[in-house]
Amino acid sequence: GFFRPADEETGSTSNQGEILYLNASKFNDDMYDGLATVAHEFQHMINYNQKFIRDGAFPKKIEEVTFDEGFSVNSEELNGFSLTSQGGGNSFIFGTAKNYLANPAQQAFFQFSNNLADYGAGYLYIRYLWSRFGEGILNQLVTSPDVGRANMTQVLGIPFPQAFQDWAVTNQISGLSGQAPTNLTYAEGFSTR
């Protein structure tokens, strides 16, 4: 599935509406993957409307791709299609996280190449922010008029490099024995192991 921003414009190649495209032949019998895709793509539509259109003001800001994809993968989880949901869990989320964690030092966080590890980096970073600051932080980040690292710094109230470093350390120590500071943990028993 996908969301095509050009459809919200008025040109000759536009469908002139907010449309999510889904390939029904890719849905499993239980609709799990299809509904998870709807949650994922709908977040892209919301993000585009908040950042680019912004109530008709058209500031034309585009969210950093890794962050936008991280919000979308987390949207799947927040809508009930999580790693441990009924029916076996979300294999896409598992695959993205696994691919990123297999070799995080080789992943350029802000060079999105559309591979599973890129989605995993975004997912884990946004999942970390959700754990550290609460679910409400996701709404604040998406509805803020700013984008990228500047938006992260403004909304989180700490410099982006510090939040990023805390996240990287959290990924390394997650699941190890001992008590980590709360800013270096994932919530609800989530572990990168």
Side-chain angles (χ1 to χ4, degrees), residues 17 19 34 52 75 82-83 87 105 110 147 149 167 183:
I19 302 170
F52 192 87
S75 181
S82 67
L83 287 167
F110 291 110
V147 296
R149 290 166 259 200
W167 166 68
N183 67 314

Side-chain angles (χ1 to χ4, degrees), residues 5 8 12-13 18 24-25 28 57 59-61 65 89 91-93 99 129 143 153 155 160 164 166 168 182 184:
E8 294 199 43
S12 62
T13 61
E18 294 179 327
S25 69
N28 293 332
K60 296 187 177 185
K61 294 182 178 179
V65 176
S91 61
F92 177 70
I93 293 177
N99 274 269
L129 296 180
T143 59
T153 296
V155 173
F160 173 77
F164 190 86
D166 289 351
T182 57
L184 300 176

Side-chain angles (χ1 to χ4, degrees), residues 171-187:
N171 286 336
Q172 294 301 311
I173 67 171
S174 177
L176 298 177
S177 62
Q179 187 69 24
T182 57
N183 67 314
L184 300 176
T185 62
Y186 284 100

